Amino acid sequence: MLLLVWAPKAWHRLSHLKPSALLWTPRGKARHVRCRLLSSQGPGERGRQSRPQGPGLRTRLLITALFGAGLGGAWLAARAEKEQRRQQQRTEALRQAAVGQGDFSLLDHRGQARCKADFRGQWVLMYFGFTHCPDICPDELEKLVQVVQQLEAEPGLPPVQPVFITVDPERDTVAAMARYVQDFHPRLLGLTGSAEQVAQVSRSYRVYYSAGPKDEDQDYIVDHSIAIYLLDPDGLFTDYYSRARSAEQIADSVRRHMAAFRSVL
Amino acid sequence: MAAPSMKERQACWGARDEYWKCLDENPEDASPCKKLRNSFESSCPQQWIKYFDKRRDYLKFKEKFEAGQFQPSKPATQS
């Protein structure tokens, strides 16, 4: 009976020990603390030490078990919290590194203002280049248009909007873009804007560009990253295709993304 | 200066390909290709000619490199 009385007392003492303080204590040490706590009772309680140990042992075992469980629980909770924090940090880092964040504000080749939300609900294939480009841009745009034509020919597939964004706003005016895009596809949309607007959209899609030196004709070549981007109907960056990918490979990939697509908006 | 149209681009690329073919057929002496060079230069913007000349050098180097024939130049031996 007496043991049952001091047991809560021991618990009371134990509760003074903050779980966090014990968290990083090796198990052995924690047990040692526990043993000392249990054995060093006040002077008035010393008489009990000579009493039969049976129920005492059971209680001690019980306390030890409960204490161990508490300690384990605290450790698990701390671990879960740490894992959750790590996940949050990772999500945040990924969000900051994400391709195509934010909006853009550009003019299409008909002089109409276009922002990202205008393309909601459509699949978009997007390429960055410039109209004075000697060979790579026309090749890539030709390939992009082939992909669009292949997908257009298949009934039941949603339409794909081809988009060409200039990285040479100095020369690629609305009129220059209109002249250029008509050679490729009737639905190819050319987008241009001020130097700042073009810089912003390029930064957002991680496109590098740098105009080379001008010759006596004021002509120059713009060095830039080469990639075709696929945006889903939510406007989210979905995939990109390097120069090495053929029109067939890109069309296959787009088909797969279309089949797997579920809107998150 | 307006960008070349698709027709102009194709004319330029055609002239370039013929000139490059001639260079491939006459690796020792480019003099038989002089006429084709002139045609290439008159079909393409000047900036593109510079670009394509560099591009050919690069493509040739790439070919050689991929075939494993490229030998990096050895640093000069110290005396």
Side-chain angles (χ1 to χ4, degrees):
Chain A
M1 275 310 271
L2 265 170
L3 278 161
L4 287 173
V5 174
W6 70 255
K9 238 194 219 165
W11 267 116
H12 184 68
R13 286 181 186 214
L14 281 172
S15 69
H16 285 306
L17 290 164
K18 290 202 178 90
S20 58
L22 276 170
L23 256 181
W24 302 108
T25 315
R27 287 243 154 144
K29 211 171 163 190
R31 200 173 296 129
H32 179 66
V33 171
R34 228 164 26 239
C35 291
R36 249 197 331 190
L37 261 169
L38 291 174
S39 55
S40 64
Q41 305 292 331
E45 293 158 344
R46 194 154 288 160
R48 275 198 303 279
Q49 297 294 324
S50 55
R51 291 190 171 248
Q53 294 293 303
L57 186 66
R58 223 187 304 157
T59 314
R60 283 177 191 198
L61 279 173
L62 184 70
I63 291 169
T64 307
L66 285 171
F67 192 80
L71 207 64
W75 181 72
L76 283 175
R79 200 180 60 160
E81 199 187 319
K82 202 174 155 197
E83 175 65 18
Q84 198 190 350
R85 213 166 36 234
R86 212 181 56 83
Q87 276 293 343
Q88 274 170 358
Q89 279 169 356
R90 187 175 150 73
T91 309
E92 191 46 42
L94 284 174
R95 189 171 292 153
Q96 278 170 18
V99 170
Q101 353 172 18
D103 204 354
F104 57 73
S105 164
L106 297 164
L107 285 178
D108 72 15
H109 65 270
R110 295 183 196 96
Q112 228 175 64
R114 294 282 186 160
C115 66
K116 203 163 144 194
D118 293 337
F119 299 95
R120 276 279 166 76
Q122 320 179 54
W123 290 87
V124 173
L125 279 171
M126 191 186 254
Y127 179 76
F128 289 80
F130 64 113
T131 65
H132 286 74
C133 182
D135 55 352
I136 293 170
C137 314
D139 281 353
E140 288 297 289
L141 279 174
E142 202 59 60
K143 189 166 85 179
L144 190 150
V145 161
Q146 277 174 27
V147 174
V148 172
Q149 283 167 343
Q150 282 182 27
L151 296 169
E152 264 175 344
E154 289 172 44
L157 283 186
V160 177
Q161 174 64 53
V163 172
F164 171 60
I165 302 180
T166 184
V167 290
D168 184 13
E170 190 184 327
R171 288 182 294 185
D172 290 344
T173 57
V174 168
M177 293 297 271
R179 252 196 321 274
Y180 192 69
V181 296
Q182 64 178 6
D183 284 341
F184 293 94
H185 191 278
R187 285 198 298 115
L188 176 63
L189 202 66
L191 296 181
T192 184
S194 69
E196 292 75 34
Q197 286 169 327
V198 167
Q200 192 228 330
V201 67
S202 304
R203 216 172 18 244
S204 147
Y205 286 95
R206 307 284 185 264
V207 169
Y208 146 85
Y209 64 97
S210 165
K214 286 181 185 172
D215 65 11
E216 49 270 38
D217 300 338
Q218 295 300 301
D219 196 7
Y220 54 90
I221 299 248
V222 184
D223 188 26
H224 63 93
S225 5
I226 304 156
I228 294 176
Y229 292 88
L230 175 68
L231 310 189
D232 71 14
D234 289 344
L236 297 175
F237 165 78
T238 304
D239 211 337
Y240 81 98
Y241 309 103
S242 70
R243 225 186 147 206
R245 305 283 284 274
S246 70
E248 287 69 31
Q249 287 172 322
I250 299 173
D252 279 344
S253 167
V254 174
R255 267 187 221 104
R256 277 197 300 276
H257 283 297
M258 283 175 168
F261 175 70
R262 299 282 176 275
S263 179
V264 294
L265 298 179
Chain B
M1 195 187 76
S5 67
M6 179 159 276
K7 236 187 187 155
E8 288 163 336
R9 276 199 300 274
Q10 275 158 356
C12 165
W13 296 341
R16 173 202 62 187
D17 293 344
E18 278 184 43
Y19 171 58
W20 282 6
K21 202 174 129 214
C22 176
L23 288 183
D24 284 342
E25 286 163 357
N26 303 277
E28 303 300 318
D29 176 23
S31 56
C33 308
K34 218 161 172 186
K35 242 179 121 178
L36 289 171
R37 173 78 196 182
N38 287 339
S39 147
F40 168 51
E41 286 184 4
S42 61
S43 309
C44 302
Q46 212 195 338
Q47 190 70 235
W48 287 22
I49 293 163
K50 268 193 267 173
Y51 168 84
F52 285 133
D53 285 344
K54 272 191 246 165
R55 179 127 191 104
R56 181 176 159 86
D57 287 345
Y58 166 73
L59 291 173
K60 286 286 146 198
F61 164 76
K62 197 174 155 199
E63 244 172 59
K64 214 169 144 186
F65 186 79
E66 281 173 353
Q69 292 163 347
F70 174 71
Q71 295 290 326
S73 53
K74 292 197 174 68
T77 47
Q78 282 171 6
S79 53

